[in-house]
């Protein structure tokens, strides 16, 4: 059985006090209201991760994640955060290849392959993002484009390494736009991507891979998206910044 997961991607939001308040609220609400098996990951700004650890329930289903890590372990890379640093403070997840990082920081598939390696070598679970632009969706081979993102950044992994990877399909045209992919569009892409994974790693490994949907998923539409057979949860941006909305999204994935 593949795991179900809801991850909040806070992006570059919240001051420290606001972050403490939000994590505390989410922990309380998720603890009291959610009884299922969904795992919850809060990907906050890295600067808060150490301090926020103390607000998580011990041994619970809620953990912290980073939003990026560098491919090198250490060195003269001003402003960057490495995978060993994240591991050393007990972080378990790291988002890699978010479209905003690809767009604004020029991250490439080849570089992301190295970041995936760094994450895995340090015991972190990569939440690897893929997805096409609006122009690609309307005029291009969007399926081929997204498959290539997976091939170029992940397919060098051994089967054992690949088993630790979570994938997030995030169509860029749906991120922060209020334009959600329909549940059918999400299901179609997830099924295709799972087949692509099966071609490399076999059916069983593909069936065991958690594939999240991201892009304007919220309290209103999450249940329908998560009900699709190949959608195993979500990577949530805007709606993860409000405790009640995020809790509703988590509940929708039970
Ligand atoms: P929104 O949920 O705000 O559209 O963001 C999605 C996202 O980019 C999550 O990584």
């Amino acid at each position: 059985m593949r795991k179900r997961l809801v991850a909040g991607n806070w992006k570059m939001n919240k001051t420290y006090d606001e972050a403490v308040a939000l994590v505390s609220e989410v922990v309380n609400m998720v603890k009291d209201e959610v009884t299922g098996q969904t795992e919850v990951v809060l990907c906050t700004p890295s600067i808060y991760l150490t301090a926020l650890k103390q607000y998580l329930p011990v041994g619970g289903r809620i953990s912290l994640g980073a939003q990026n890590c560098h491919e090198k372990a250490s060195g003269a890379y001003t402003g960057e955060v490495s995978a060993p640093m994240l591991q050393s403070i007990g972080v378990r997840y790291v988002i890699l290849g978010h479209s905003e990082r690809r767009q604004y920081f020029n991250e490439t598939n080849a570089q992301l392959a190295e970041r995936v390696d760094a994450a895995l070598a340090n015991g972190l679970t990569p939440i690897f993002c893929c997805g096409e632009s609006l122009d690609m969706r309307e005029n291009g081979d969007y399926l081929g484009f997204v498959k290539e993102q997976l091939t170029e950044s992940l397919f060098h992994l051994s089967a054992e390494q690949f088993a630790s990877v979570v994938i997030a399909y995030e169509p860029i045209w749906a991120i922060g736009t209020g334009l959600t992919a329909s549940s059918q569009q999400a299901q179609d892409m997830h099924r295709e991507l799972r087949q692509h994974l099966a071609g490399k790693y076999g059916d069983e490994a593909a069936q065991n891979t958690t594939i999240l949907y991201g892009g304007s998923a919220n309290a209103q539409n999450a249940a329908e998206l998560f009900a699709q057979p190949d959608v195993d949860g979500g990577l949530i941006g805007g709606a993860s910044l409000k405790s009640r909305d995020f809790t509703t999204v988590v509940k929708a994935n039970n």
Side-chain angles (χ1 to χ4, degrees):
M1 269 290 280
R2 55 187 181 250
K3 81 175 153 201
R4 300 191 69 85
L5 192 152
V6 173
N9 176 8
W10 288 14
K11 308 190 181 183
M12 194 175 72
N13 289 294
K14 304 291 177 188
T15 61
Y16 177 65
D17 288 346
E18 291 167 349
V20 168
L22 179 55
V23 166
S24 309
E25 282 170 28
V26 167
V27 165
N28 269 326
M29 287 187 190
V30 167
K31 188 165 54 67
D32 294 345
E33 297 184 32
V34 178
T35 53
Q37 288 308 307
T38 290
E39 232 179 281
V40 177
V41 182
L42 304 175
C43 299
T44 74
S46 301
I47 188 174
Y48 304 142
L49 287 167
T50 316
L52 292 179
K53 243 187 349 184
Q54 65 184 293
Y55 298 96
L56 299 188
V58 178
R61 306 188 316 273
I62 309 177
S63 40
L64 293 173
Q67 299 173 13
N68 182 37
C69 73
H70 197 268
E71 60 270 26
K72 296 285 194 290
S74 62
Y77 301 97
T78 301
E80 292 295 292
V81 169
S82 74
M85 291 175 187
L86 295 173
Q87 184 189 40
S88 73
I89 58 166
V91 167
R92 291 183 40 212
Y93 287 86
V94 59
I95 297 172
L96 289 174
H98 193 280
S99 60
E100 287 149 17
R101 297 219 47 101
R102 292 174 187 266
Q103 182 182 352
Y104 303 130
F105 303 97
N106 303 315
E107 291 182 357
T108 63
N109 290 343
Q111 184 182 33
L112 289 166
E114 293 184 42
R115 293 189 178 192
V116 168
D117 289 344
L120 291 172
N122 289 282
L124 303 170
T125 298
I127 301 177
F128 181 81
C129 300
C130 57
E132 79 285 1
S133 65
L134 183 60
D135 184 48
M136 183 68 72
R137 166 69 63 163
E138 290 180 340
N139 305 308
D141 174 15
Y142 62 91
L143 181 55
F145 176 83
V146 179
K147 283 182 184 175
E148 190 173 274
Q149 291 180 321
L150 299 182
T151 303
E152 293 189 356
S153 297
L154 299 178
F155 280 14
H156 64 290
L157 298 176
S158 68
E160 193 189 347
Q161 288 175 313
F162 178 75
S164 303
V165 175
V166 168
I167 290 172
Y169 169 61
E170 298 207 305
I172 298 168
W173 46 273
I175 295 177
T177 57
L179 256 186
T180 322
S182 69
S183 51
Q184 193 58 51
Q185 282 173 320
Q187 166 57 22
D188 288 347
M189 275 305 275
H190 284 223
R191 193 190 54 238
E192 292 282 358
L193 297 180
R194 204 180 293 286
Q195 273 169 15
H196 185 54
L197 301 176
K200 171 69 182 172
Y201 292 104
D203 272 342
E204 195 183 336
Q207 284 305 324
N208 286 334
T209 304
T210 298
I211 308 182
L212 310 179
Y213 168 78
S216 298
N218 57 38
Q220 284 72 44
N221 59 28
E224 191 185 329
L225 286 162
F226 297 169
Q228 301 305 310
D230 285 292
V231 178
D232 307 313
L235 181 54
I236 314 299
S240 74
L241 299 174
K242 296 184 191 135
S243 52
R244 190 148 294 285
D245 286 4
F246 187 65
T247 304
T248 304
V249 173
V250 171
K251 267 171 114 170
N253 199 31
N254 275 316

